[in-house]
Amino acid sequence: MRSPLFIAVLLLAIGPASAFAQSNMPFEFQPGHARAPDLGLKAPIAYPKPLRYGDKGWQTIQFYPARAGAPAPLVVAFSNAMDEWARYRFNEGGIALAVVPDRETVPAASKTIDNYLAAMSYLYGDAEGLGIDRTRMMLYGTGNGGSMAVLLGADPALLARAGVPFDAVRGVISIGGEDFDVVRRMKESSFLRSRYQRYYGRDEVATATLSAASHLELPNAPGFLLLADARDRAGLEESRSITEALVNAGSTAVFVTLPEPRDEVRRTHFLAEPGGSGWEIVAFVQAAFAKAP
């Protein structure tokens, strides 16, 4: 187990009818409590600065600089679409955001990782010009992007390929990830086996290297925050499972269930209101970046 500078004991509900889970974070972090959203809330419009980092037409980072203060800490989001409220909350808190796409015509896990590493290398190398603090970076992903963020936060060798020091990553956030232990999931059904073989290939050894579950040993990122929507069964089960595995291996990790939203508020409920759904994310990021290196 690592020895944190100071430890906060967290009590987070793992499910609506479950007991509370206890975990240690290497920085102060207190979760929020969700409440009913205001249907009229809309995030202020912002226009990103496009950053080309590769020779493919779609390899353009959508960069949102922090509102004030440079160099600013950076959240690197692995997602083809970023929630507008998440973008706004980061920027208003003095945090820059870089949204990294993955639009390969024939997607493959190894190519996805190469793409993310290319973007990380670009951002790290041009940190001064972009006004970002290359020593304070947070990995953030949704869906498979969340699974890849956890992988990058658990395997120092991958970031080394991008020339990014592992201690530059202050934490990892995954929302709705479910591809943390692909080899195990491939054995659960013929449907999943077919699905994962198309993306990861048929070599189980190679597939295991691209699964976070194969890289639980320390060192890894200082903290992991995993979230899943209450209606996302696979996301809930797999995010809980990897959280437990990380903690059992000596890592610091917390799982949070996002409350089930009504269909008409899916675009506005997330991070729209102080104390509302997803505010654990803001608290986690701010606390991680405030901690001394």
Side-chain angles (χ1 to χ4, degrees):
M1 295 289 289
R2 61 169 52 89
S3 298
L5 297 180
F6 51 92
I7 296 176
V9 177
L10 306 179
L11 297 178
L12 295 179
I14 295 296
S18 68
F20 286 94
Q22 181 170 308
S23 178
N24 292 327
M25 274 290 170
F27 37 76
E28 298 287 351
F29 164 58
Q30 293 297 330
H33 299 282
R35 61 187 178 88
D38 181 342
L39 301 184
L41 289 175
K42 300 290 184 182
I45 296 174
Y47 298 98
K49 175 182 179 180
L51 304 174
R52 289 294 302 273
Y53 66 95
D55 56 6
K56 297 179 181 178
W58 54 265
Q59 286 185 303
T60 301
I61 295 168
Q62 302 300 309
F63 180 67
Y64 299 87
R67 283 191 168 188
L74 174 70
V75 170
V76 183
F78 304 132
S79 174
N80 284 326
M82 188 69 183
D83 181 89
E84 286 299 302
W85 276 109
R87 181 268 307 161
Y88 176 73
R89 294 304 180 200
F90 291 147
N91 286 167
E92 74 169 353
I95 298 166
L97 172 67
V99 183
V100 181
D102 179 38
R103 296 190 177 95
E104 285 281 3
T105 304
V106 182
S110 59
K111 290 184 178 180
T112 296
I113 284 293
D114 288 344
N115 172 55
Y116 291 159
L117 292 178
M120 292 285 292
S121 179
Y122 175 90
L123 292 165
Y124 186 82
D126 198 28
E128 185 174 352
L130 295 172
I132 57 179
D133 184 350
R134 59 164 55 93
T135 69
R136 292 190 294 164
M137 305 175 80
M138 175 78 63
L139 305 181
Y140 176 110
T142 58
N144 180 259
S147 303
M148 293 299 183
V150 174
L151 172 62
L152 290 174
D155 184 3
L158 288 174
L159 286 181
R161 284 168 45 189
V164 178
F166 196 58
D167 59 7
V169 174
R170 299 300 185 87
V172 177
I173 297 173
S174 168
I175 304 176
E178 59 183 80
D179 307 322
F180 307 109
D181 191 349
V182 177
V183 174
R184 172 181 58 78
R185 296 211 75 202
M186 287 175 69
K187 298 176 181 178
E188 292 179 357
S189 72
S190 58
F191 170 78
L192 287 175
R193 181 169 59 253
S194 175
R195 167 188 163 189
Y196 283 122
Q197 284 180 346
R198 285 197 301 271
Y199 187 56
Y200 286 87
R202 296 176 178 274
D203 186 337
E204 284 195 7
V205 175
T207 296
T209 64
L210 295 177
S211 299
S214 300
H215 303 281
L216 298 175
E217 66 281 356
L218 300 178
N220 47 36
F224 295 81
L225 175 62
L226 294 101
L227 309 95
D229 192 292
R231 296 191 295 192
D232 180 5
R233 180 177 177 182
L236 287 171
E237 293 178 352
E238 296 304 316
S239 295
R240 281 181 184 145
S241 178
I242 195 64
T243 300
E244 293 173 2
L246 285 164
V247 171
N248 290 337
S251 301
T252 52
V254 170
F255 172 76
V256 173
T257 300
L258 294 172
E260 181 175 333
R262 301 189 304 276
D263 288 340
E264 67 270 22
V265 300
R266 288 193 65 83
R267 295 186 62 183
T268 61
H269 83 288
F270 183 67
L271 286 174
E273 300 171 285
S277 176
W279 267 84
E280 294 86 355
I281 294 171
V282 175
F284 179 84
V285 171
Q286 291 177 337
F289 285 151
K291 173 181 172 290

